[in-house]
Amino acid sequence: MEKKPWIDVLSHIVLCVGILIVASPIYMALIASTHTAQAMAQWPIPLTPGSHLLQNYADALNGSGSGQSMAVGRMMWVSLVTALGIAIGKIIISLMSAFALVYFNFRFKTLVFWGIFVTLMLPVEVRIVPTFEVVANLGMLNSYAGLTIPLIASATATFLFRQFFKTIPNEIVEAAKMDGAGPIRFLIHILIPLSATSIAALFVIQFIYGWNQYLWPLLISTNEDMYPVVVGIKRMIPAGDAQTEWNIIMATAILAMTPPLLVVMFMQKWFVKGLVESDK
């Protein structure tokens, strides 16, 4: 393809516009987190950094803002445990189910696979009432088990692992049998190492999914000690005419963005590699 200078210029303009659109809300949140609540209540709102950055973040972490009843540190801990539980749980269950579907022969195997696949059409929002009733009857309200277990089954992850396992040559399976490897040993020592990049990519996606969960934690968490940070941000906005401390709320939002951002940054190489290999 002929390389034309105006295409490069147009590409850079489009990229710059896209970056501005995506980054402007983050910039405004960052700026708001450095001012006082009074400054953010005035018009026009400040567009340059203020002098209360450390104070606002300390108030957010300690829960010492006037409209805040809970420390962000506790909410972030709940979000971290929930996100890790969902991500690790989904990977384990999906690996085991895909392993059974590919390497074991049992009656109605195809029907079982399509049964799992059909659950893609039933997200939590659709089955939320019966799921809530089951969780409540099991006494798992306001618990980490209640926050994670209903969300750890994943038809998509099962499908991805199944497709990957089907690409593994039969010679590897036969060689493992000749070496006397049983199913568990074959799974742990051969399949899981071969699936490392897919597991890493799936972990990043599911960690962010678990971290950003809002509706389900909002339903089953009636105790403030079990609020994840996404729910906590909503609860920090007062009802009625009370002044909203946007500086503390934006500081909390910036803090809430940090763990998923770090996960993506540290696992970027594995994440991209896993996505590329999944497409092959």
Side-chain angles (χ1 to χ4, degrees):
M1 180 182 292
E2 185 181 357
K3 188 174 181 180
K4 298 180 179 178
W6 68 269
I7 293 181
D8 289 340
V9 174
L10 180 62
S11 301
H12 282 82
I13 292 175
V14 171
L15 283 173
C16 290
V17 171
I19 291 172
L20 284 175
I21 293 173
V22 173
S24 55
I26 301 173
Y27 176 77
M28 291 307 300
L30 189 61
I31 293 299
S33 68
T34 64
H35 288 274
T36 62
Q38 291 75 21
M40 294 309 301
Q42 296 174 353
W43 184 261
I45 59 175
L47 296 177
T48 55
S51 58
H52 288 71
L53 185 145
L54 296 179
Q55 182 63 47
N56 290 340
Y57 282 87
D59 287 346
L61 286 170
N62 298 323
S64 54
S66 61
Q68 194 174 352
S69 59
M70 186 177 173
V72 173
R74 170 65 189 178
M75 294 190 288
M76 291 186 69
W77 171 253
V78 174
S79 292
L80 181 64
V81 173
T82 303
L84 287 175
I86 291 173
I88 295 173
K90 277 181 182 287
I91 290 171
I92 292 175
I93 290 179
S94 303
L95 268 173
M96 299 295 288
S97 56
F99 179 58
L101 287 170
V102 175
Y103 293 103
F104 288 84
N105 291 319
F106 53 89
R107 296 182 66 184
F108 308 119
K109 188 167 77 170
T110 304
L111 184 64
V112 170
F113 168 70
W114 283 106
I116 296 173
F117 199 74
V118 165
T119 61
L120 281 173
M121 305 172 192
L122 295 172
V124 173
E125 290 78 6
V126 175
R127 51 184 167 83
I128 200 162
V129 174
T131 304
F132 177 83
E133 185 176 358
V134 171
V135 170
N137 291 336
L138 292 175
M140 293 197 299
L141 296 180
N142 295 311
S143 69
Y144 292 113
L147 285 169
T148 56
I149 290 177
L151 303 177
I152 62 173
S154 173
T156 305
T158 301
F159 177 74
L160 291 176
F161 281 126
R162 175 182 177 270
Q163 298 306 105
F164 176 74
F165 290 166
K166 288 173 78 70
T167 64
I168 294 176
N170 286 328
E171 288 79 4
I172 295 179
V173 181
E174 296 300 327
K177 287 181 179 177
M178 293 178 65
D179 286 342
I184 301 299
R185 186 178 167 193
F186 178 67
L187 173 66
I188 296 175
H189 294 284
I190 296 178
L191 284 185
I192 290 180
L194 290 174
S195 310
T197 53
S198 298
I199 292 173
L202 193 61
F203 176 82
V204 173
I205 295 171
Q206 299 302 338
F207 181 87
I208 295 173
Y209 165 82
W211 185 273
N212 290 332
Q213 279 297 307
Y214 175 75
L215 183 58
W216 179 247
L218 183 66
L219 280 178
I220 74 159
S221 302
T222 56
N223 187 338
E224 286 190 354
D225 286 341
M226 294 306 296
Y227 283 166
V229 68
V230 177
V231 175
I233 291 173
K234 172 64 177 68
R235 298 276 181 175
M236 290 168 66
I237 301 175
D241 297 330
Q243 184 181 20
T244 303
E245 290 189 306
W246 288 112
N247 55 335
I248 304 299
I249 294 173
M250 291 299 108
T252 305
I254 294 295
L255 290 171
M257 291 170 49
T258 306
L261 183 63
L262 291 176
V263 168
V264 173
M265 288 175 60
F266 285 120
M267 299 189 68
Q268 182 182 14
K269 180 180 176 183
W270 286 69
F271 178 63
V272 174
K273 194 174 179 182
L275 291 181
V276 171
E277 289 185 353
S278 299
D279 288 340
K280 289 181 179 178

